[in-house]
Amino acid sequence: MATQNLGTRGLGPAAAAGLAFAAGALGAFVVERRHNAVLRRLERLEHETEQRAALIAYQRHHYELVMKAASDPTLLPVLNAYEEELSTDRQRQYLFANLVYAHVLQGYRVGVFTRSELYGHLRGIFQSTLMRDYWSATRHHRSSLKEGSDESEIGKMVDALIRDLEEAHTDEWWVVGEPPAE
């Protein structure tokens, strides 16, 4: 009885070497592709890390400028970009409100919490009437945000949240509104 041999036995030495070379080349090609994919991923992660570091540095600088203006009454009017004149105390309160909002936004941007957790934080800070007043006084600041940008979308989320909070007929503010889907 005859058996079939599907190996390289029937091939000549040159054909077997060629097949081995092709298999080796294919293996090297696969390894190189994986290596290149890993390099691209590392480059992307490095870029994201640099962006986050720049964002953190920018936020720190923003904080320093705001604190400098808040502590020096002669500098405070420089940051008065509201539609009406505000008292020094109200300007300081709005600057602090801006810092609180920026802090929560920064936490979301650097991945401290998810978008639905961001919503929960915003729901908490906008319990304050003063935060709502600040938000209203700065609505024209948000009108120049790029449509569809993260900050624009979060601003719309806050607008809807404030509407929901003001229309709510409950003292249980922590259940007001609909958190965004993840």
Side-chain angles (χ1 to χ4, degrees), residues 42-162:
L42 285 173
E43 287 171 357
R44 200 169 39 250
L45 287 172
E46 185 177 274
H47 178 72
E48 289 172 6
T49 301
E50 289 171 358
Q51 281 184 315
R52 283 186 175 178
L55 183 60
I56 290 167
Y58 178 85
Q59 190 65 36
R60 187 176 300 120
H61 192 236
H62 172 255
Y63 171 79
E64 290 167 1
L65 288 171
V66 168
M67 293 310 294
K68 187 173 198 159
S71 66
D72 185 341
T74 64
L75 297 178
L76 196 56
V78 173
L79 296 180
N80 187 351
Y82 307 103
E83 292 177 346
E84 60 187 73
E85 279 301 311
L86 301 175
S87 69
T88 301
D89 286 345
R90 183 52 56 115
Q91 284 182 18
R92 286 185 175 129
Q93 290 169 337
Y94 280 7
L95 289 177
F96 184 74
N98 173 264
L99 288 176
V100 170
Y101 174 72
H103 176 73
V104 171
L105 185 61
Q106 177 81 348
Y108 166 70
R109 285 179 171 161
V110 299
V112 173
F113 38 80
T114 66
R115 198 171 186 102
S116 63
E117 290 169 327
L118 166 67
Y119 186 85
H121 286 283
L122 293 170
R123 187 168 35 198
I125 66 173
F126 280 99
Q127 288 308 299
S128 164
T129 304
L130 192 60
M131 280 297 293
R132 292 183 204 178
D133 290 347
Y134 155 76
W135 193 256
S136 176
T138 58
R139 71 186 168 286
H140 61 283
H141 298 179
R142 292 182 298 284
S143 66
S144 64
L145 294 174
K146 182 180 175 190
E147 186 65 33
S149 69
D150 216 26
E151 195 165 356
S152 172
E153 295 303 311
I154 291 169
K156 290 176 186 174
M157 183 171 66
V158 171
D159 290 339
L161 172 62
I162 289 173

